[in-house]
Amino acid sequence: MGDSRSWTATPAAAARARSVLATAWSCAVTAEGGREEFVGAHSVTEDGRVLLHVPEDSALMTAAICAPRGEPSAVLEFADVAPVPLRHRIRARLWIAGWFAAEEGHLAFRATRVVLREPRGAVVVDRDEFTAAAPDPLATAEARLLTHLADCHPDAVERLTRLVEPESLHGAVRVQPLAVDRHGLTLRIERTRAHGDVRLAFHRPADDVAQLTERMHVLLGQASAASCPRTLQRQRTDGDG
């Protein structure tokens, strides 16, 4: 990415994986019968088990019923897509390998391996940690929060860039909110042919939207007290001319 600001106070891999699972709307399944994609067809139990509600004529259902052991192996893939329009919107991919079992009205998936890939690289998530983890408390509200920030408060987004190191803003043509979780806000800095992500950590975790509002006010207050980056000043001057 090229940005020098360090990533601090980030969610654990297991919690991040559970957040992706909790918010993903679609699921791609690769099994013995081939590859199928399902939209709005899965749900997640508290312990992270995936329940798939598929048509009776699905190849996956046929494989589950006809498998010699009654439990065909499969890999589930979920994509975490940024809710704000920007380049390279896939923020993470989650792969869960394991076994299916046909239950009443659905297929139940038992995981044997969980892999989370983010821009920083891929990590194998411990199964026990994955089972015990909970999604980020802001995960289901994130899309609404980020789109509101981008659409209704672009001035606040620009002000927050005062907390970003000047070299990270070099060549920036647009800054958008990329992600938010209980630990911090991530900004996407887009350049003409590249981009970088910068994380602004909260002073303490936020457990709900009300606490997030307070954490954002603190960040904005810090930004208001900071000097405006010269790069953005220069951009505004060029744009006015």
Side-chain angles (χ1 to χ4, degrees), residues 3-158:
D3 291 324
S4 59
R5 187 182 179 94
S6 61
W7 285 71
T8 57
T10 57
R16 182 77 180 96
R18 290 295 300 270
S19 295
V20 173
L21 190 58
T23 57
W25 181 243
S26 63
C27 173
V29 182
T30 302
E32 298 169 3
R35 179 181 173 91
E36 293 184 84
E37 295 196 14
F38 302 97
V39 177
H42 73 275
S43 57
V44 185
T45 64
E46 289 188 2
D47 62 359
R49 288 187 304 121
V50 179
L51 306 181
L52 266 177
H53 305 270
V54 301
E56 292 184 359
D57 59 354
S58 165
L60 188 61
M61 179 67 78
T62 301
I65 295 173
C66 300
R69 293 191 302 164
E71 293 186 340
S73 62
V75 176
L76 278 60
E77 179 181 347
F78 302 87
D80 175 30
V81 183
V84 175
L86 36 72
R87 293 191 303 239
H88 304 287
R89 292 181 67 179
I90 303 244
R91 303 180 299 187
R93 290 188 185 276
L94 177 67
W95 289 275
I96 305 177
W99 302 88
F100 269 115
E103 296 184 358
E104 184 176 357
H106 61 262
L107 296 175
F109 188 75
R110 185 175 73 250
T112 57
R113 183 178 174 89
V114 179
V115 178
L116 176 68
R117 174 176 286 279
E118 297 181 292
R120 292 168 289 169
V123 59
V124 177
V125 181
D126 181 85
R127 282 187 299 161
D128 292 337
E129 293 179 2
F130 177 78
T131 298
D136 187 271
L138 302 175
T140 56
E142 184 194 26
R144 172 175 56 84
L145 294 168
L146 289 181
T147 53
H148 177 77
L149 179 60
D151 295 342
C152 302
H153 301 285
D155 55 330
V157 176
E158 180 177 342

Side-chain angles (χ1 to χ4, degrees), residues 149 152-165 169 175-177 185 187 200 216-229 232 236:
L149 179 60
C152 302
H153 301 285
D155 55 330
V157 176
E158 180 177 342
R159 196 189 323 166
L160 288 170
T161 61
R162 299 183 183 187
L163 300 176
V164 178
E165 295 178 1
L169 293 169
V175 179
Q176 290 276 54
L185 172 72
L187 300 178
L200 304 178
M216 289 295 298
H217 284 162
V218 170
L219 281 182
L220 288 168
Q222 294 171 346
S224 296
S227 59
C228 188
L232 288 188
R236 286 201 296 271

Side-chain angles (χ1 to χ4, degrees), residues 137-138 145 180-183 202-219:
L138 302 175
L145 294 168
V180 68
D181 55 62
R182 68 191 301 259
H183 297 290
F202 298 143
H203 64 283
R204 65 171 60 94
D207 293 326
D208 53 39
V209 174
Q211 290 184 6
L212 172 66
T213 300
E214 187 274 336
R215 307 300 188 263
M216 289 295 298
H217 284 162
V218 170
L219 281 182

